[in-house]
Amino acid sequence: MTFSSKYKNLGKLAIVCGLATTMFACGGSADSSKKEDAKAAIAAKKEASVDFNIILNNAPDPTSIPVLLERSGAEFDASLLNSKENAKSYVLKDASSALNFGVYISDIAYLSASNKPQEAIDYFTTAKQLSDKLGITNAMGKDLSDKLETALSDKDAMLKVISEAESKVKTFLNTNSQYDIAALIVTGTTLEALHISLGLVQNAPKDLPSNVRNAVLVDLMTAVANQRKSIDAIVEILKPLEGTNNDTQKYYSEFVKLQKQFDALKFDEKLKENKGGYQLKAEDLKEITATVEKLRTATVKL
């Protein structure tokens, strides 16, 4: 979906309040004129809320890629997770809180899909520090912790709970004219899914029988190639925020760069020409991996 020029302008107008006070939070100033500006920006944003909501709903389900990774047979790799210890540094800025809340959502989904429910709950407790900072904890449901505890022995149930909670957050933020925060959350989620997928490719054991290793790598690299749709969704989500501040501009530019790198692979075209015989090789993903890892490192060190 492409924004009309009208909605591009509305998207930019909608963050005027954030630029007047903090990077992403509207209001909070004692100055009455700024409050009026904030109200006007929110009103303009609500005019485009349907479009914003549709675009947000095009974001990938945070559990879809972890499920594919688990089905590939790749061994779980805890080193690919973002450390829980980093969370305390993210609460200083809304942009960092939003991006890394998204990162932790993907980590939680990966843990759940890998049959590590207690670790997933521990990560949820960590992520809650960020959701509290962003004011979205209640949006996920006051009984979310209980639901996760109840689903401890049921991987599919846990993944469903995670997916529903993330969907509720997007709806809440859109309804409350916080499209920017929602955009950064799903950006963090998508970035982490790419990071984990590419990391599993790079870290695939070299001592496996070649037929076993190749089978795992084919599934993993195909999972990476399939994330082109996720990248497209993030570009569309960030598009209304392009040029409004350094944070959103950086992520928009880097995801556009990823689009071009995926295009250069011509994966779908090669599959069609070779009637399914073409397979991605690890070296094909070198440039994509470098882009993702540079951006992910900058994200978790914010």
Side-chain angles (χ1 to χ4, degrees), residues 147-179:
K147 286 182 177 179
L148 288 171
E149 291 281 357
T150 301
L152 268 175
S153 60
D154 188 338
K155 177 181 70 178
D156 291 337
M158 282 200 76
L159 290 169
K160 184 178 179 180
V161 170
I162 294 165
S163 179
E164 289 177 348
E166 195 252 8
S167 180
K168 288 177 181 177
V169 166
K170 287 190 295 188
T171 299
F172 170 81
L173 290 171
N174 185 62
T175 301
N176 288 275
S177 299
Q178 291 176 280
Y179 177 80

Side-chain angles (χ1 to χ4, degrees), residues 67 174 240 247 285:
V67 168
N174 185 62
D247 288 305
L285 301 174

Side-chain angles (χ1 to χ4, degrees), residues 15-206:
I15 62 166
V16 168
C17 57
L19 296 176
T21 52
T22 62
M23 187 75 72
F24 293 99
C26 294
S29 171
D31 187 278
S32 60
S33 64
K34 287 184 178 180
K35 288 184 178 180
E36 290 304 312
D37 287 344
K39 288 180 181 178
I42 292 172
K45 195 171 204 179
K46 285 185 176 179
E47 287 185 40
S49 61
V50 173
D51 294 74
F52 285 147
N53 193 49
I54 290 172
I55 292 175
L56 282 174
N57 285 338
N58 284 338
D61 186 309
T63 67
S64 59
I65 298 303
V67 168
L68 287 178
L69 297 178
E70 191 273 334
R71 289 175 180 171
S72 74
E75 185 176 345
F76 174 77
D77 190 343
S79 71
L80 297 173
L81 302 173
N82 186 19
S83 172
K84 292 179 291 184
E85 297 303 313
N86 291 338
K88 58 182 177 291
S89 67
Y90 302 145
V91 298
L92 301 176
K93 183 181 176 185
D94 281 356
S96 182
S97 294
L99 285 161
N100 284 287
F101 178 74
V103 166
Y104 283 133
I105 288 294
S106 271
D107 288 344
I108 293 166
Y110 179 47
L111 286 162
S112 298
S114 302
N115 291 302
K116 299 188 179 296
Q118 188 56 59
E119 290 92 333
I121 290 177
D122 291 342
Y123 260 77
F124 167 70
T125 301
T126 297
K128 189 175 177 295
Q129 298 175 46
L130 307 184
S131 66
D132 287 345
K133 159 69 175 173
L134 296 168
I136 58 175
T137 300
N138 287 340
M140 292 187 289
K142 295 180 179 179
D143 59 345
L144 180 57
S145 295
D146 292 338
K147 286 182 177 179
L148 288 171
E149 291 281 357
T150 301
L152 268 175
S153 60
D154 188 338
K155 177 181 70 178
D156 291 337
M158 282 200 76
L159 290 169
K160 184 178 179 180
V161 170
I162 294 165
S163 179
E164 289 177 348
E166 195 252 8
S167 180
K168 288 177 181 177
V169 166
K170 287 190 295 188
T171 299
F172 170 81
L173 290 171
N174 185 62
T175 301
N176 288 275
S177 299
Q178 291 176 280
Y179 177 80
D180 39 18
I181 295 296
L184 289 174
I185 288 174
V186 296
T187 297
T189 299
T190 302
L191 178 63
E192 186 74 348
L194 280 163
H195 159 73
I196 293 172
S197 304
L198 291 163
L200 289 173
V201 171
Q202 298 302 315
N203 299 342
K206 304 280 193 301

Side-chain angles (χ1 to χ4, degrees), residues 213-264:
R213 188 172 191 273
N214 287 339
V216 171
L217 282 176
V218 166
D219 287 343
L220 285 176
M221 289 187 285
T222 300
V224 171
N226 287 342
Q227 290 179 69
R228 169 57 197 267
K229 292 180 180 178
S230 301
I231 292 169
D232 290 344
I234 296 304
V235 168
E236 196 66 24
I237 286 167
L238 292 174
K239 202 171 187 178
L241 305 174
E242 181 192 2
T244 57
N245 57 68
N246 291 335
D247 288 305
T248 53
Q249 180 63 52
K250 176 176 71 174
Y251 286 91
Y252 176 78
S253 298
E254 291 301 306
F255 271 84
V256 168
K257 180 179 178 180
L258 281 170
Q259 279 183 320
K260 294 175 181 177
Q261 290 175 333
F262 267 77
D263 283 343

